[in-house]
Amino acid sequence: SQVSIGWQAALSGGSPITSYTATLNPGNRTCTWTIGPLSCTISGLTNGTTYTVTVHAHSAIGDGPESAAATVTPWPGYHPTVPTRYLDTRTPAQGGGGTFDGNSSGTGPVPAGDTITVPIAGRAGGVVPADAVAVVLNVTVAGSSSNGYLTVYESGVSAPLASNLNFAAGQIVPNMVISKVGADGAITIKNVGGNTQILVDVVGWFEAGSQYTPVLPTRFVDTRTPAQGGGGTFDGGNSGTGPIPAGQTITVPIGGRAGGGVPADAKAVALNVTVAGASAGGYLTVYEAGVAAPLASNINFGPGQIVPNMVISKLGTGGAITIKVVGANTQVLVDVVGWFGSTSPYAPMVPTRYLDTRTLAQGGGGTFDSAAGGNGPVLAGTTIKVKVADRGQVPPFAQAVALNVTVAGSTGGGYLTVYEAGVSPPLASNLNFAPGQIVANMVIAKIGTNGEIEIKNVGGNTQIIVDVVGWFP
């Protein structure tokens, strides 16, 4: 939270004011600053607590009178949770581990063309209250009988033209999803493709007034022509233009685009981005328009693959994003699922590399500060801690961080779980991978002890790359 108090230049008994002290209660915490930048920071506030800030002026002859008082109530916002399993359609014999309450568990594969409704908000004993407006999930498909895709959306409405996960027969594919919850507190998942098992882990939720506005997924880009399977976009723009050539960029207007539902003053946007039919292996980077492309990646793909990933990107010049393709010509689809308002406490960043375990000889490019780099593969069954808070652009009082996490060159199949440092690893997964694959997924993780997140590797020895894209206070 922030409080601003207006001042007029003042003298105290003819002596100039030299400094100010702000006292925050409850807690009797103080901070002092001298004339110049009239601000200071007190971190560690507790959501739901009302604080009073009192400012005193100091001069050579003593304290001036109490200057002003303001009541500060922390902004409503994002609430990260320990990852919690809300759906696992697998039976124990099929590898299922159940859910936190035993419900939405062991029901078997979702048939092709069917939908499943999953109660989320207000579910007894869960981590999401009844008044949540949106939920952050990691959704995984496993063992589908044929190719297809999932669409995740609020319950009680018709399925939109959008996709969250695209999968081939037999694949295990995860993706992060931010979905509005329906009036009944539930989400709906539509399965377009083969019969498939589905897992859902909740990692956080947004409350009303948080300045995150979830929307029904809306297609803003589809470079495919109708003959190539393209279905167009909501307004016909950024549609049917053909594959983006390797090494090229496209700029996509988002904020203020007529009929798109994202206002011109939006700060950041939540997207689901999909690549399809690439001519070779490569990767995409999504970032704010008007700046140089960062050293980061959002989606890594092989030739011909259909690969989705969740992206949260700052909006740049003209309310637009830029998408850079590296390595191959590829089709790109973009679905907008929500946006952050101009006064939202979420702080988007130009994607910044915080971890790269690869050495230069293994293709590593290091990190922004040369820390947490080149340490080699994370061994199977071990964990690695990554300091994120009080490092780079992430301040010490951040409570959650938005990341893109990538695995590369694992010696065996497995999965990663990302969670706050200092707690036991939860029953959840963020990335599932096969030997040798390069797989990326968006993660929003709570920050734990010493400003760190922890990553557990369940599977083969693997290289791990982490790009930070923003943080929540």
Side-chain angles (χ1 to χ4, degrees):
S1 298
Q2 290 182 330
V3 59
S4 297
I5 299 173
W7 275 96
Q8 288 186 325
L11 298 178
S12 179
S15 180
I17 294 171
T18 56
S19 64
Y20 300 95
T21 297
T23 303
L24 180 144
N25 278 295
N28 195 34
R29 287 176 284 176
T30 63
C31 62
T32 299
W33 69 100
T34 57
I35 298 300
L38 299 180
S39 66
C40 68
T41 298
I42 299 177
S43 60
L45 278 66
T46 302
N47 284 336
T49 300
T50 299
Y51 296 88
T52 298
V53 179
T54 305
V55 179
H56 291 262
H58 307 290
S59 71
I61 62 172
D63 286 357
E66 181 177 300
S67 60
T71 300
V72 181
T73 302
W75 271 318
Y78 175 67
H79 297 265
T81 68
V82 173
T84 304
R85 186 146 289 172
Y86 271 62
L87 172 70
D88 188 344
T89 60
R90 303 169 303 174
T91 64
Q94 296 165 329
T99 59
F100 76 92
D101 61 357
N103 297 318
S104 302
S105 177
T107 52
V110 178
D114 273 13
T115 62
I116 184 172
T117 298
V118 185
I120 302 286
R123 187 160 153 181
V127 293
V128 183
D131 59 353
V133 297
V135 66
V136 183
L137 318 164
N138 201 71
V139 181
T140 306
V141 298
S144 176
S145 60
S146 65
N147 300 349
Y149 65 90
L150 297 187
T151 301
V152 183
Y153 54 101
E154 63 183 293
S155 64
V157 302
S158 300
L161 172 63
S163 62
N164 296 94
L165 286 84
N166 298 72
F167 50 85
Q171 273 191 322
I172 301 176
V173 181
N175 201 11
M176 199 185 90
V177 175
I178 301 178
S179 177
K180 187 175 182 180
V181 295
D184 58 355
I187 59 166
T188 297
I189 304 173
K190 183 174 182 179
N191 176 27
V192 182
N195 304 338
T196 190
Q197 307 280 10
I198 303 176
L199 296 77
V200 172
D201 299 320
V202 170
V203 299
W205 55 276
F206 289 94
E207 63 182 302
S210 65
Q211 282 292 295
Y212 173 73
T213 302
V215 300
L216 194 65
T218 304
R219 185 144 291 171
F220 273 61
V221 177
D222 189 344
T223 61
R224 303 171 301 174
T225 64
Q228 295 165 330
T233 59
F234 77 94
D235 61 355
N238 296 102
S239 177
T241 52
I244 302 171
Q248 298 297 304
T249 63
I250 65 167
T251 297
V252 183
I254 304 284
R257 186 161 157 179
V262 181
D265 64 348
K267 178 194 292 187
V269 67
L271 316 164
N272 200 72
V273 181
T274 305
V275 299
S279 59
Y283 65 89
L284 288 189
T285 302
V286 182
Y287 54 100
E288 62 182 294
V291 303
L295 171 64
S297 61
N298 295 95
I299 303 178
N300 298 72
F301 51 84
Q305 280 188 320
I306 301 176
V307 183
N309 200 10
M310 181 79 190
V311 175
I312 299 178
S313 177
K314 188 175 182 179
L315 294 177
T317 304
I321 59 168
T322 297
I323 302 174
K324 183 176 182 179
V325 177
V326 178
N329 306 338
T330 190
Q331 307 280 10
V332 178
L333 295 78
V334 175
D335 300 320
V336 170
V337 300
W339 52 273
F340 294 87
S342 59
T343 60
S344 169
Y346 173 68
M349 295 164 41
V350 173
T352 304
R353 187 143 291 172
Y354 272 60
L355 172 71
D356 189 344
T357 61
R358 302 171 300 176
T359 64
L360 291 175
Q362 295 166 330
T367 60
F368 77 95
D369 59 357
S370 300
N375 298 321
V378 179
L379 301 181
T382 67
T383 64
I384 183 172
K385 292 180 180 179
V386 184
K387 184 170 179 62
V388 289
D390 200 19
R391 181 180 169 202
Q393 295 180 53
V394 183
F397 53 84
Q399 74 157 346
V401 68
L403 317 162
N404 202 71
V405 181
T406 306
V407 299
S410 177
T411 59
Y415 65 89
L416 297 187
T417 302
V418 184
Y419 54 100
E420 63 183 294
V423 303
S424 299
L427 172 64
S429 61
N430 295 94
L431 285 86
N432 298 72
F433 50 86
Q437 272 191 322
I438 301 177
V439 180
N441 200 12
M442 179 80 186
V443 176
I444 299 180
K446 189 174 182 180
I447 298 172
T449 306
N450 298 322
E452 296 174 326
I453 59 167
E454 196 156 351
I455 304 174
K456 182 174 182 179
N457 176 26
V458 181
N461 304 340
T462 190
Q463 307 282 8
I464 301 176
I465 302 125
V466 174
D467 299 320
V468 173
V469 301
W471 54 272
F472 296 87

